[in-house]
Amino acid sequence: MRAHVGLLYLLVHVLANARGQYDLCKSLVSTDEGAVWEHYACQPKAQAMKEYMRILVEPPGVTCGNPPERFCTLENPYLCSDECDASNPDLAHPPQLMQDRERSGLITYWQTVTWRRYPEPLQANITLSWNKTLELTDDIQITFEYGRPTVMVLEKSLNFGRTWQPYQYYADDCWDAFNIAPRRARDLTAANVTHVICTEQYSRWVGSKNEKVVRFEVRSRFAIFAGPRLLNMEGLYTRMESMKGLRDFFTFTNLRLRLLRPALGGTYVQRENLMKYFYAISNVEVLAR
Ligand SMILES: *[C@@H]1O[C@H](CO)[C@@H](O)[C@H](O)[C@H]1NC(C)=O
Ligand SMILES: *[C@@H]1O[C@H](CO)[C@@H](O)[C@H](O)[C@H]1NC(C)=O
Ligand SMILES: *[C@@H]1O[C@H](CO)[C@@H](O)[C@H](O)[C@H]1NC(C)=O
């Protein structure tokens, strides 16, 4: 008889040092070689949180298709034959398309109205709520079809949306948009890992097909403590407990994307064709526990 049919599991919390929720857990597992201890951290498993998030898009009416509207793309600005129509399932782009799994391989996305009201700003807020306190375990990745915004802010709330704080600024020109010096997450150090930065890395025009993702870099911040390949996660967990504000930095109950200026195709706004300016998001990936 194979030993692990009659497995003996023994769960032991090792409370040797005060590590809060990162107490080491180990279980005694009987195998063909005899009983061995398996060690792991006692904490919930990281999960893809997009399946559980509630999405609120503001202002009302910013989602395209009501009334139906034609649009074109920055790369094909004179072929404005695409249509968004909320009443036609094949042409509608509702918010839930940011969180669907796209199993069929077909990319589906939420899309806004075009910038027909220029020079009034084209802005939208996307508020993501979980009604639960979560801790990031990987980069947040937001995938934009047809170009990434030239200006946006990621905000977070720690108290279910009562108050908000900036999490990261994104702009093609940080000085111009926010009066902040541009920084890269990979240049952060242990001394300033929890600083809120403005990055220009995801906002410059590189063609809409080349780079679609805007990141909030969690892995490069973890790497400061866990090493470049994140092999020393214990080192990170120890810091999470001892360094003031570090755990809080990765913790949130809600996230908000403030889209402040759409992709412009690397040039100024061309008033004669405003149908090529809009936002479209196909995916929001949030891995957390
Ligand atoms: C987005 O939310 C902010 C508060 O975080 C608010 O000041 C702003 O008016 C909202 N923008 C839109 C377009 O609803
Ligand atoms: C949020 O969670 C609390 C407690 O778990 C529950 O009582 C409440 O109904 C939830 N609210 C929403 C909007 O889901
Ligand atoms: C963090 O510190 C490093 C090293 O001193 C520096 O290069 C980087 O610009 C700093 N970043 C911020 C956001 O202050």
Side-chain angles (χ1 to χ4, degrees):
M1 191 184 100
R2 287 177 62 87
H4 55 254
V5 176
L7 272 186
L8 168 69
Y9 281 107
L10 245 175
L11 206 63
V12 180
H13 287 247
V14 181
L15 298 164
N17 37 24
R19 291 227 195 107
Q21 78 179 94
Y22 287 103
D23 292 339
L24 261 190
C25 281
K26 58 180 181 177
S27 52
L28 190 59
V29 183
S30 60
T31 67
D32 292 350
E33 285 81 48
V36 297
W37 290 101
E38 277 191 353
H39 294 262
Y40 52 91
C42 298
Q43 51 189 338
K45 257 176 68 179
Q47 285 184 61
M49 290 296 167
K50 74 171 174 186
E51 318 218 348
Y52 309 104
M53 70 192 180
R54 244 185 55 224
I55 305 176
L56 174 69
V57 169
E58 291 172 306
V62 77
T63 299
C64 67
N66 186 20
E69 183 182 18
R70 285 191 308 132
F71 65 94
C72 36
T73 64
L74 289 162
E75 271 120 346
N76 227 337
Y78 302 106
L79 196 76
C80 301
S81 55
D82 284 322
E83 195 179 17
C84 176
D85 181 350
S87 66
N88 177 340
D90 291 333
L91 301 176
H93 294 277
Q96 63 266 28
L97 297 183
M98 287 185 254
Q99 75 191 127
D100 61 338
R101 288 225 204 148
E102 295 170 350
R103 276 194 211 86
S104 63
L106 182 73
I107 292 174
T108 60
Y109 46 90
W110 166 75
Q111 187 174 317
T112 68
V113 295
T114 66
W115 206 350
R116 55 183 183 240
R117 292 225 179 105
Y118 180 86
E120 193 184 298
L122 177 62
Q123 300 186 344
N125 285 349
I126 301 163
T127 305
L128 309 173
S129 311
W130 287 270
N131 196 23
K132 193 171 182 308
T133 300
L134 297 173
E135 189 181 304
L136 289 171
T137 57
D138 207 331
D139 293 3
I140 297 173
Q141 296 185 55
I142 304 136
T143 310
F144 288 87
E145 303 299 319
Y146 305 115
R148 301 176 291 186
T150 48
V151 183
M152 75 172 233
V153 186
L154 177 65
E155 295 180 328
K156 73 166 186 176
S157 172
L158 282 163
N159 53 19
F160 305 97
R162 275 190 292 282
T163 58
W164 293 85
Q165 52 194 273
Y167 213 179
Q168 191 148 296
Y169 296 94
Y170 301 84
D172 55 353
D173 184 331
C174 284
W175 281 118
D176 185 55
F178 299 111
N179 211 18
I180 310 177
R183 295 269 185 259
R184 287 176 310 184
R186 76 173 98 109
D187 297 332
L188 293 166
T189 61
N192 61 21
V193 58
T194 62
H195 281 200
V196 174
I197 60 169
C198 180
T199 177
E200 296 178 347
Q201 213 179 332
Y202 310 100
S203 309
R204 296 214 165 127
W205 179 249
V206 289
S208 66
K209 309 264 184 339
N210 296 331
E211 298 282 353
K212 296 181 167 189
V213 176
V214 173
R215 284 174 189 276
F216 177 75
E217 307 89 339
V218 171
R219 295 178 75 86
S220 67
R221 288 171 169 97
F222 282 178
I224 295 169
F225 307 109
R229 296 201 293 141
L230 303 185
L231 294 177
N232 179 19
M233 290 305 275
E234 276 303 307
L236 172 67
Y237 299 151
T238 306
R239 288 296 191 109
M240 286 272 202
E241 296 309 323
S242 61
M243 193 175 150
K244 195 170 181 305
L246 187 59
R247 151 95 28 88
D248 279 352
F249 184 78
F250 297 104
T251 302
F252 61 97
T253 57
N254 310 56
L255 295 171
R256 178 180 285 156
L257 284 175
R258 299 185 60 184
L259 307 176
L260 298 174
R261 196 174 63 201
L264 302 182
T267 170
Y268 57 90
V269 179
Q270 287 164 332
R271 286 170 165 262
E272 69 280 5
N273 185 354
L274 297 170
M275 285 151 81
K276 60 181 178 176
Y277 303 118
F278 54 87
Y279 305 98
I281 296 181
S282 57
N283 194 33
V284 176
E285 205 62 63
V286 178
L287 271 88
R289 62 166 59 99

